[in-house]
């Protein structure tokens, strides 16, 4: 792998920056691509397979949707890649539909 995933300490150290950006932008929906992104928003580690497909309410009133990071899909092969790509597409479609509900 060309890049390494950040460690929990690195994510937690930089979390204040993400929180500040979210306070300015005030998104209605946040889509976390991967476990590192989810930890950056939540401040704790989550299982993508358990968290995906269901929005999590955040303290600021927005929703967090979690899915796999696209680079994860690229590292898979065969049937596993096809299945994870299907789940990824379903996650994106669900988040898009929900965003439409929130903004429309």
């Amino acid at each position: 792998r060309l890049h390494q995933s950040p460690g929990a300490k690195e994510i937690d150290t930089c979390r204040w920056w993400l929180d500040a950006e979210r306070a300015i932008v005030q998104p209605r929906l946040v889509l976390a691509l991967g476990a590192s992104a989810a930890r950056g928003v939540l401040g704790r580690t989550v299982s993508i397979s358990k968290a995906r497909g269901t929005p999590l309410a955040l303290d600021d009133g927005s929703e967090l949707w979690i899915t796999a990071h696209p680079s994860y899909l690229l590292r898979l092969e065969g049937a596993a890649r096809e299945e994870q790509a299907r789940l990824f597409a379903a996650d994106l479609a669900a988040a898009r539909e929900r965003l439409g509900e929130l903004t429309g």
Side-chain angles (χ1 to χ4, degrees):
R1 293 177 56 181
L2 180 61
H3 302 284
Q4 284 187 316
S5 297
K9 184 176 180 180
E10 293 168 310
I11 296 168
D12 295 344
T13 299
C14 296
R15 186 166 181 235
W16 69 271
W17 183 273
L18 180 59
D19 289 344
E21 286 184 335
R22 286 184 38 235
I24 292 167
V25 175
Q26 299 179 353
R28 294 185 179 133
L29 186 147
V30 176
L31 178 62
L33 299 177
S36 296
R39 183 180 178 96
V41 175
L42 293 173
R44 62 183 169 84
T45 301
V46 296
S47 166
I48 300 253
S49 61
K50 292 178 182 176
R52 72 184 329 160
T54 304
L56 300 172
L58 298 174
D59 292 341
D60 63 3
S62 64
E63 293 180 2
L64 176 65
W65 289 69
I66 301 171
T67 190
H69 192 284
S71 67
Y72 167 71
L73 304 176
L74 295 175
R75 292 191 302 271
L76 298 174
E77 296 180 4
R81 186 175 192 169
E82 291 176 20
E83 174 64 13
Q84 289 299 315
R86 184 190 64 74
L87 291 171
F88 182 73
D91 291 342
L92 295 182
R96 179 183 63 215
E97 182 178 333
R98 180 62 178 143
L99 185 59
E101 293 170 1
L102 292 171
T103 61

